[in-house]
Amino acid sequence: MKNYISINGQKTELTEEQVKRIKESFAVPMVKLADNAPGDVVKVGDHEFVVLEHRAEGTALILKSLLCEGEEFGDENNNFAGSNVESICNEFAEELAGIVGADNVLLHDVDLTSDDGLKDYGVIKRRVSLLTAPMYRQFVDILDEHKIDAWWWLATPYSTPRHEHTSWIKCVSPSGRIYYDSYYGHYGVRPFCILNSNIFVSK
């Protein structure tokens, strides 16, 4: 079987070596997730992620861009558990499970301690969540290299009902500063997850 390429309407036969080189040029290099350094960008399915750190249980990642924008945090209060954005994260967890396998999308703790130190909302386990404010501060140098021109939600509440406050939630500005707004504000969702470090991703 002969192979041809058409350039400006002219048909030219290709050798087997030329076909092989063309195929290689289109091939996407696959690497083990563990072999990427913090700050590297990797692709899982159709989604690009930024590597934040490697942990004993897996590799922490954040979506390079927003999964969706203009989303209300919730319709009742500033608790991530049971919120609208949590539902979006749960749906994304199902999508990731379909790409890499459910066992490779790892449960992690989401510490919902409020900005004023109240632990009323507890620590929950999720496969996909949002960064908390302390986590944002931990990874700010990496995140500054991957800023997005949009506001996006964090999971940390400003306070809780114990201090007569259920409205405000922390968020990040396009410049990278932490602010807060009410749970009925409309900001972007930028999921955080931990994946098995032994899976293969593209770069």
Side-chain angles (χ1 to χ4, degrees):
M1 178 179 175
K2 295 182 179 180
N3 297 285
Y4 298 91
I5 187 171
S6 180
I7 301 176
N8 295 328
Q10 292 188 342
K11 189 175 175 182
T12 304
E13 185 178 346
L14 298 175
T15 66
E16 289 301 321
E17 181 62 27
Q18 289 172 322
V19 170
K20 180 181 176 182
R21 289 180 181 177
I22 290 173
K23 286 181 177 179
E24 289 175 349
S25 70
F26 283 102
V28 178
M30 301 294 289
V31 295
K32 191 177 286 190
L33 183 54
D35 294 334
N36 293 275
D40 284 355
V41 176
V42 299
K43 196 168 185 180
V44 180
D46 293 329
H47 299 286
E48 288 187 320
F49 288 87
V50 178
V51 176
L52 296 178
E53 69 174 354
H54 296 293
R55 302 179 179 180
E57 66 273 25
T59 298
L61 306 162
I62 189 170
L63 204 63
K64 187 173 184 290
S65 57
L66 297 181
L67 178 64
C68 50
E69 53 187 320
E71 296 289 342
E72 285 189 0
F73 186 87
D75 56 9
E76 293 183 356
N77 55 43
N78 59 358
N79 190 347
F80 175 76
S83 67
N84 175 51
V85 291
E86 186 203 20
S87 296
I88 293 170
C89 289
N90 289 341
E91 290 175 5
F92 190 54
E94 292 297 320
E95 181 181 344
L96 284 179
I99 298 170
V100 301
D103 291 345
N104 292 316
V105 186
L106 308 181
L107 283 170
H108 60 268
D109 289 340
V110 186
D111 187 346
L112 299 178
T113 300
S114 65
D115 204 43
D116 55 356
L118 300 182
K119 301 183 182 299
D120 303 350
Y121 291 162
V123 178
I124 60 176
K125 288 187 177 293
R126 295 293 183 270
R127 296 188 186 278
V128 172
S129 65
L130 303 179
L131 286 183
T132 63
M135 292 169 69
Y136 178 82
R137 296 185 186 100
Q138 177 185 353
F139 300 120
V140 68
D141 288 336
I142 293 174
L143 293 167
D144 272 353
E145 295 298 319
H146 299 280
K147 288 179 183 174
I148 52 179
D149 188 22
W151 291 77
W152 46 286
W153 291 114
L154 297 175
T156 301
Y158 185 78
S159 190
T160 74
R162 178 147 56 107
H163 284 177
E164 301 180 353
H165 205 295
T166 61
S167 295
W168 290 344
I169 191 79
K170 309 298 283 188
C171 53
V172 177
S173 75
S175 67
R177 287 179 289 178
I178 296 180
Y179 285 86
Y180 55 83
D181 200 353
S182 61
Y183 61 81
Y184 46 83
H186 292 81
Y187 294 151
V189 177
R190 194 178 184 187
F192 166 85
C193 63
I194 298 177
L195 300 183
N196 186 327
S197 299
N198 290 320
I199 66 170
F200 283 84
V201 296
S202 57
K203 297 199 69 170

